[in-house]
Structures are given as C-alpha cells and as structure tokens.
Amino acid sequence: MTIEKTLFAAADKMRGSMDPGEYKHVALGLLFLRYIGVAFQRKYDDLLPEGMDVAEDVDEYLAEGIFWVPEAARWSTLAANAKDKGIGVKVDNAMRAIEADNEQLKGALPKVFGREALDPAIVTGLIDLFSNIEFSGTPKDFDLIGRIYEYFISEFASSEGKRGGDFHTPKPVVELIVDMIEPMKGRLYEPCCGSGSFMVQSERFLENHAGRRADLAVYGQERNHTTYGLARMNLAIRGIVANIQWNAEGTLLRDAFPDEKFDFVMANPPFNISDWSGDILAEDRRWKHGTPPVGNANFAWMQHIYDKLGSTGIAGVVMANGSMSSMSSGEGDIRRAMVEAEAVDAMIALPGQLFYGTQIPACIWILAKDKSNGVAKDAKLRDRRGEVLFIDARKMGALVPGSRKQKELSREEIARIATAYHAWRGEPDAGAYADEPGFCKAASTEEISKHNYVLTPGRYVGAGAAEEDGEPFEEKFDRLTADLRAQFAEGRRLENEIEARLESLG
C-alpha cells in the first residue's frame, strides 16, 4: 500500500461523523504544520552551533524561504502535548502564531482544531500519524507532499460528490491544459483557482522544461474562503509565490484584478451555474461576443477569460459539453461570434468519467487573443486565422486501478493530444501536422459555418480507420455467416425446448 493510501486508510477510521469536506482541512492543515516544522528544525539544527541567538534569528530563516516557527508552534512541542485534552486549542494557537510571524500566510491557515465538535482524539491521532512521515525539510519532500495533497483532495472530492468536484480538477486534465498552452514565462492567471492545482502543475512544467520560476508571475482569485486557504497552503508548502485574492462576491461580479491582462489563463469554472448575477451584469463590457443568458454562466466565464488575455495571450478552459452545441438563449450566436472573431484556437472532447462526483462529459476550449501570431518556447507560431483545430479524445482514458467509475488519461495520451496541437500551431520541435481521421482535424471557418457553428469535434474528425485484422473479406464473410446461422439454429432449438417443457407442465 502506498504512503498516501496508508495515511488515508488510517485517518479514515478516525473521522467518524465529521463532514468529509471539514475533515480534509483538518488533515491537510496538520500536514502543512508537520512539513514546515521539519524544514524549520533542519535549519535550526544547522544554526545552533553558531549560538542560540543565531538559531533564534527570524531573518536567517526568511532569507532561505523557510517559514519561521515560534516555540509554541513547533512540531516537537505539539507532539509532546498530543494527548493533552486541550491539544486542539494548542494547534489553533500554533496556527495563529505562525500567521503572526509570516505575513504571506496571514488568514490562510485553518483554526478549527479547538472546536467543541471536534474530538481531541482525532487531532491526537493525526499528530501521531504525521509524526511517522519521514520528511527531510527540503524541496526533495515536494513530490511526497504533492502526492499526499493530491490524494487527500481527490479522495475527499470523490466523497463530497459534485460539491467536492467543483473545486478540484483531476490531475490528468490539469496536466493536459498545462502541456498544451506551455506557460514558460509571463503572467499566469486562474479566475477560480480552487486548490491551486493549475499553478502547482505550471511550476512542474517549468522544472521539466528547464524554465525559471522567476519568469512566471502567478495570480488567482477564489470565492470560497476555506478553499482559498487550502490553495495558499498548497502553494506555500512548495515555496510557490502567488498573488491570490479571496473574492467573496465572485469573479464575474467583482473582478479582483480589473486592470490586469495575462499571457496564460487556465480555468475549470463551475459548470452551468444559474445564480451568477447575470441580470445585474447584462450591460457588462466583457460581453463582446454577446450577452450570456441569465440562466447559465458558461459563456460569461469564457468571455471573462478571453477579456483577461494580453495581446498574445492563450487560455485553456474546461467546460461542460453543452457549451459546444447549445443553441438556447443565444448561446449559439455567442459561439458563432467567437469563431468569426478568431477567439477559438482549438476544441478537445474529453472522455467521460474523468471528474469526481459527476458523470457530465466535459471538453476543453483553447482560446487565443491573436491567432496571427504568438510565441511558444521562444518560437514564433504560424498564422492560424480561418482555422480551428478539433481533437476527439473521447476514446482515450482507462479506469483508475481499483475504481469502477473513475477514468484517467495516461501520460502518452496527454502527450499525443498536446503534440497534435503544437504541430498544428507550428512549433518547430513538434513535427509536421496532418489530419488524422477519428482523432484530429483542422477545419476552416467555412466548414464550421456549414455545421451551424456547432464545435463538437466528432462532427469534424469523422470515424477512424477500422483496425486491420489480416483476414480476407470472403473468408470473414463466410465465417460470420456460419456463426449467425449456428446461433439461429440454437435459438430455434431453445424455443422448441421451452415450448415442450411448458406443455409438460400443462
């Protein structure tokens, strides 16, 4: 059993009647405390030979990007008092003390451990569990922390159903969008950042492509305050600096970055929400392609995101499949206007069962501010005006081991989709692009207009070639005809037998 499954299974026994969503913040809050405690202690032990005054100097820690942990908040202190009935209050006070000494964490850490409704035995059990995790207190731990975070968030998203899935985008979908739009340098924005998964994956992309963290500035906003805290912990534990704003009114009603433009936007906004204040925003300047219907925010999100793009900006947006074909309430007109304005670069139909808590099939819209230019990995892209790339990935994906309802894309499948897009837009290292029946097709605006601006990839890519089995047609026809006749004969025999038995009963 992997470490994350061990942790979850052990922790699962203790959560009792606690709401799964609430328990997640308790567990991940303590994990955060455990990691920064180990990182602090490692540095503290290094400094101690130089004297106590040096080891207790806050600046020594901040200079290396290590959080300062006050005495009462150190893991060793908490672990020594783990069985105290007041341990919950002690953990809350530890969180407050850390926030007071580390400005970037102000308001981010959960203070829920001392509540009367939370059994102190749960806090004690979790402290014991996390004490047994071997951290080094260095970036080498990030992979393990990331695995634990991802596992806890995804498992709870599954437990919470649709509500959990609202803030968590499955890792393969995040990887696909990041790999497609390649955020190497510039300004990255998440308009509804959830737990910050796009930001974390963008950092990994930089590392995998020898990029520099300093070249990418990260921005985001989130409406749910608890999720906002989760995102800040998720980024802080990896040392990722980001400007994330808590926006209680919501991104569409009050943009936290009204004057900012970005090079990359990635988003998985909630699907098909109706209570988005559409009546109040009817005259909003962002609706350049048409006013979104009051009863569905899908095209409000897409036009907000398009509006946030800089002159060569590009965006990847996860949307419900209905956005590709809906004709109700003017959505067909908005889609036509977006295609004619060259706002749509590519469309990807995803396989079903990728998301937690919902079977709604989803797609990805790739939006581009100016398809006549653009730069990716320092190479100029070709002029794509008058075309949209369609990719049908519905047949991809496989069930997650141990699950009967959750699918995921493999790394090879993600690479195949991303490479097709990169080749189509003219990236030199992606090779030459060619349409592939059943998988991808570059369609002209004229062809799209013949389909009444419905953007479902299946309409354009057609059927793939049938797999060749090497059996000559005549032989296969004779074999299948014989099989069919044998089955007819068996059917007649069974019918006669049933009739005979019924007569014997009468």
Side-chain angles (χ1 to χ4, degrees):
M1 187 179 281
T2 60
I3 187 170
E4 53 267 46
K5 288 188 177 179
T6 302
L7 281 171
F8 189 85
D12 197 43
K13 293 178 183 174
M14 291 186 290
R15 63 179 168 172
S17 60
M18 184 181 291
D19 178 80
E22 189 179 16
Y23 182 78
K24 169 184 60 208
H25 297 288
V26 171
L28 292 180
L30 280 173
L31 176 67
F32 177 81
L33 212 52
R34 167 66 172 152
Y35 172 73
I36 67 167
V38 173
F40 171 84
Q41 193 63 50
R42 181 185 60 81
K43 183 64 180 175
Y44 185 91
D45 293 342
D46 287 347
L47 293 173
L48 196 55
E50 300 176 39
M52 183 64 78
D53 55 333
V54 178
E56 293 287 342
D57 185 348
V58 177
D59 291 338
E60 293 283 351
Y61 298 85
L62 299 183
E64 291 191 20
I66 297 171
F67 292 111
W68 167 257
V69 184
E71 173 74 34
R74 292 173 193 172
W75 190 262
S76 55
T77 304
L78 296 173
N81 291 280
K83 293 185 170 50
D84 188 312
K85 289 184 179 177
I87 184 60
V89 174
K90 286 184 167 59
V91 174
D92 283 344
N93 289 337
M95 296 289 188
R96 292 189 183 94
I98 291 170
E99 285 188 358
D101 284 336
N102 298 276
E103 181 65 25
Q104 67 271 44
L105 292 176
K106 191 173 182 180
L109 305 184
K111 275 81 72 176
V112 297
F113 302 88
R115 289 180 304 116
E116 192 174 334
L118 180 58
D119 185 348
I122 292 179
V123 181
T124 301
L126 282 171
I127 290 175
D128 288 344
L129 268 176
F130 291 136
S131 292
N132 292 325
I133 300 178
E134 291 292 332
F135 284 134
S136 66
T138 69
K140 292 178 182 175
D141 294 331
F142 291 169
D143 273 353
L144 177 59
I145 292 169
R147 280 167 48 196
I148 296 172
Y149 248 74
E150 173 71 18
Y151 189 80
F152 266 69
I153 291 173
S154 60
E155 281 295 313
F156 280 111
S158 182
S159 302
E160 292 174 87
K162 187 171 186 290
R163 189 163 59 91
D166 276 353
F167 71 83
H168 181 66
T169 309
K171 187 179 175 184
V173 177
V174 174
E175 289 179 340
L176 174 59
I177 291 179
V178 171
D179 283 11
M180 288 185 76
I181 72 174
E182 301 176 299
M184 289 294 287
K185 61 177 69 171
R187 292 153 62 87
L188 167 70
Y189 168 59
E190 268 199 78
C192 38
C193 67
S195 56
S197 51
F198 282 111
M199 300 175 185
V200 170
Q201 189 57 39
S202 296
E203 291 284 329
R204 288 182 185 161
F205 181 85
L206 281 175
E207 291 171 7
N208 294 339
H209 293 79
R212 296 195 317 147
R213 181 176 285 191
D215 287 340
L216 193 66
V218 180
Y219 299 77
Q221 53 186 310
E222 171 58 41
R223 185 173 192 171
N224 182 299
H225 190 267
T226 310
T227 307
Y228 160 75
L230 188 66
R232 291 180 63 192
M233 283 196 297
N234 199 9
L235 299 179
I237 209 166
R238 295 169 170 83
I240 298 173
V241 177
N243 182 352
I244 304 179
Q245 301 289 318
W246 172 45
N247 180 358
E249 295 172 75
T251 302
L252 295 176
L253 192 59
R254 187 189 66 80
D255 183 6
F257 304 100
D259 302 319
E260 304 286 351
K261 298 292 183 184
F262 301 94
D263 301 291
F264 307 97
V265 182
M266 294 185 274
N268 175 20
F271 296 167
N272 304 320
I273 57 171
S274 57
D275 56 343
W276 65 282
S277 305
D279 49 346
I280 299 174
L281 297 169
E283 304 294 327
D284 197 279
R285 64 163 188 82
R286 290 170 291 183
W287 317 147
K288 292 183 175 63
H289 304 111
T291 303
V294 172
N296 192 314
N298 287 350
F299 282 93
W301 280 112
M302 271 194 288
Q303 293 192 83
H304 167 80
I305 289 165
Y306 187 72
D307 179 70
K308 302 305 291 181
L309 292 175
S311 59
T312 60
I314 189 161
V317 189
V318 182
M319 270 283 143
N321 267 6
S323 64
M324 297 189 291
S325 59
S326 168
M327 291 294 179
S328 62
S329 306
E331 290 187 331
D333 294 332
I334 299 174
R335 197 168 49 246
R336 174 182 52 74
M338 291 179 72
V339 172
E340 291 179 342
E342 304 286 2
V344 183
D345 208 25
M347 300 292 304
I348 300 93
L350 296 172
Q353 300 173 261
L354 287 179
F355 290 80
Y356 302 99
T358 177
Q359 297 297 314
I360 295 178
C363 61
I364 295 173
W365 290 62
I366 302 293
L367 306 177
K369 195 69 170 187
D370 187 350
K371 292 165 66 176
S372 71
N373 60 19
V375 174
K377 292 189 291 189
D378 294 327
K380 192 175 187 314
L381 303 177
R382 75 178 185 89
D383 188 340
R384 289 115 50 213
R385 286 176 294 181
E387 290 180 24
V388 172
L389 178 66
F390 292 90
I391 296 178
D392 190 350
R394 289 175 299 168
K395 294 179 182 175
M396 291 184 171
L399 287 174
V400 175
S403 173
R404 287 183 294 179
K405 59 182 180 181
Q406 198 74 43
K407 279 187 175 180
E408 64 181 1
L409 295 168
S410 68
R411 280 302 309 165
E412 292 74 21
E413 290 170 330
I414 291 171
R416 185 184 177 200
I417 296 169
T419 301
Y421 175 61
H422 296 161
W424 172 74
R425 71 176 185 172
E427 293 186 39
D429 59 358
Y433 171 81
D435 290 344
E436 186 176 334
F439 177 61
C440 62
K441 168 73 185 291
S444 66
T445 304
E446 183 181 5
E447 188 175 354
I448 296 169
S449 72
K450 290 177 181 175
H451 287 277
N452 202 18
Y453 296 93
V454 169
L455 301 182
T456 308
R459 289 196 175 210
Y460 301 91
V461 305
E467 191 171 339
E468 182 58 58
D469 57 11
E471 184 177 11
F473 173 79
E474 291 77 11
E475 293 179 17
K476 179 182 279 188
F477 183 82
D478 291 343
R479 177 175 59 78
L480 293 175
T481 302
D483 286 347
L484 187 60
R485 284 175 177 154
Q487 289 170 2
F488 283 158
E490 178 64 7
R492 287 192 292 272
R493 186 189 69 76
L494 291 172
E495 187 178 347
N496 291 336
E497 185 174 330
I498 292 170
E499 286 284 353
R501 294 194 178 193
L502 287 174
E503 286 179 6
S504 67
L505 290 174

